[in-house]
Structure formats: C-alpha cells, structure tokens
Amino acid sequence: MPKARSASQPRQEWRRFPADTILISSTHYAHLPGACAHLTEELVTAPRWGWIPDPAPGLWDRLGSSCPAVAVAGNTARTATRRCEECQTATGL
C-alpha cells in the first residue's frame, strides 16, 4: 500500500483513479496516480493504458517478471513487470 508523501512533495490529486490504483503503461511499467511528476491523469486513457482499480493487497510490492500485474480495466491486454522508480520512491519502500 502506498504511503503518504512528505509535505515538501505534495501528491497531485487525481479524480478518476483512487491512490492505490495500479496504472499500466505500454512499456510494461506500473505507476501510481499522482506519485510521479512525468505522468498526468489526462494521459491515462485506454487503449494506451490499462489499470487495476482495486489491486490485491501487496501486489505493488510483489510486482515483477515472476509476478506481473495484469490490467482489469482500460486496455486489459496490458501487463506490468516493473515499477516506475519515481512511484516506488513515493511509496516510501
């Protein structure tokens, strides 16, 4: 589960995706809404993106080539095998 960012790094508010949604890009990277500066909500649309609105507990932490995240909404053909480094840093893990 993502942790809150510090006050010096405010998290961008997203409207369509809850904070724990896993967003999946065409490059097999997983992102978290508002956790990285290079991604805005307007860019996350199907068919370019897939997402998991209610991921299983711990999926973000387990995510990798042996445990890919598979989109259940948007483009459901998208899978993620890597976490965005900026999003990972934002989780505090």
Side-chain angles (χ1 to χ4, degrees):
M1 176 71 84
K3 295 180 182 174
R5 298 179 100 184
S6 69
S8 64
Q9 297 177 315
R11 188 175 184 135
Q12 177 189 354
E13 290 298 321
W14 286 38
R15 295 184 183 119
R16 291 186 0 239
F17 301 100
D20 65 340
T21 301
I22 296 177
L23 309 170
I24 303 173
S25 75
S26 60
T27 58
H28 304 283
Y29 273 91
H31 296 267
L32 298 171
C36 56
H38 59 268
L39 183 60
T40 63
E41 186 171 17
E42 294 77 30
L43 295 175
V44 181
T45 59
R48 185 173 174 103
W49 287 81
W51 51 89
I52 306 170
D54 189 23
L59 178 58
W60 175 262
D61 298 322
R62 293 189 309 272
L63 198 146
S65 58
S66 63
C67 185
V70 179
V72 298
N75 184 340
T76 57
R78 296 283 186 236
T79 60
T81 56
R82 300 174 283 191
R83 292 181 293 270
C84 163
E85 289 182 25
E86 192 173 339
C87 290
Q88 181 65 30
T89 300
T91 66
L93 300 174

